[in-house]
Amino acid sequence: MSEQNTPTASTGMTVEAFPPHGSKLRRRHRRAVGQLALCVFVLVPWTLYLAVSLPDRFEARYWPMVWVGFDVMLLVSLAGAGAAVWLRRQALIPMSFVAATLLVCDAWFDVSLSWGRDDVWGSVASAVLVELPLAFLLVMRARRVLKISARLAWQRLGLAGEPPPLYRLPLFVALASSSGIQPDLKGTKDA
């Protein structure tokens, strides 16, 4: 069995499962970039269209269902992040980002929908004192776990120095390094 086909001890996955420079991975990368570019390209005119076409007022028929449903999604994402922290699982990273995003959306809608009314200050206080700080805490916690995970992977691979910042850390660095192909890490610190 070749070195590339040997499963890693912790995951049981082989390096061959995700070749770092394979044509399949390049196609997936191009497809993902294309899909995201298309989303951005379509969202710009759609946002402009909504800005000029939406009515000033709209009566929602199922208002309680909308807000209760949103809060249930927020509750599930917070509970999922909490469970992942409790169980010490990497799932806390995406769950924390989902919960943080929903908290920011909650703050935005609470404040913007109460704008010009007497209860706007309660919404602003809730956003500033609870929702936005909690969202910030969740993102910082997820970022910290990502950095620790990157540092541990870096050390286990026997790479010198500290890993690069997250925004410069390439995908599949562990797989690329373990397959004998050096990833492009120009400008990283060597200790």
Side-chain angles (χ1 to χ4, degrees):
M1 186 182 264
S2 76
E3 200 172 292
Q4 282 193 348
N5 290 328
T6 305
T8 60
S10 61
T11 64
M13 296 179 66
T14 64
V15 174
E16 196 172 78
F18 297 102
H21 297 292
S23 62
K24 191 175 195 177
L25 185 62
R26 282 193 299 273
R27 276 195 309 277
R28 286 183 180 172
H29 179 262
R30 281 193 307 268
R31 188 178 314 130
V33 169
Q35 289 167 345
L36 290 171
L38 179 64
C39 289
V40 170
F41 181 73
V42 170
L43 192 57
V44 169
W46 176 251
T47 304
L48 294 173
Y49 168 73
L50 290 178
V52 298
S53 67
L54 284 176
D56 289 337
R57 294 187 178 274
F58 179 78
E59 185 176 327
R61 294 177 119 192
Y62 303 105
W63 195 246
M65 182 189 70
V66 169
W67 280 110
V68 170
F70 183 88
D71 285 340
V72 166
M73 288 187 287
L74 180 56
L75 176 68
V76 168
S77 67
L78 286 168
V85 169
W86 177 263
L87 296 171
R88 298 180 179 152
R89 300 291 186 255
Q90 291 285 330
L92 81 91
I93 296 167
M95 293 302 294
S96 294
F97 280 116
V98 168
T101 301
L102 290 175
L103 283 165
V104 170
C105 291
D106 195 17
W108 166 260
F109 284 113
D110 285 347
V111 171
S112 63
L113 291 174
S114 64
W115 199 256
R117 295 179 17 196
D118 292 338
D119 60 345
V120 70
W121 297 114
S123 296
V124 168
S126 173
V128 170
L129 298 175
V130 178
E131 294 157 342
L132 296 178
L134 182 55
F136 180 78
L137 175 71
L138 286 165
V139 169
M140 290 298 104
R141 174 62 50 135
R143 181 178 177 271
R144 184 168 183 231
V145 170
L146 278 170
K147 289 177 75 169
I148 290 170
S149 297
R151 183 176 295 125
L152 289 172
W154 200 261
Q155 290 170 352
R156 286 186 180 155
L157 290 168
L159 299 172
E162 290 289 314
L166 291 175
Y167 72 92
R168 291 189 40 225
L169 190 66
L171 292 174
F172 306 114
V173 66
L175 297 171
S177 295
S178 64
S179 66
I181 300 170
Q182 288 300 315
D184 181 16
L185 299 173
K186 295 175 186 159
T188 59
K189 295 185 268 180
D190 289 325

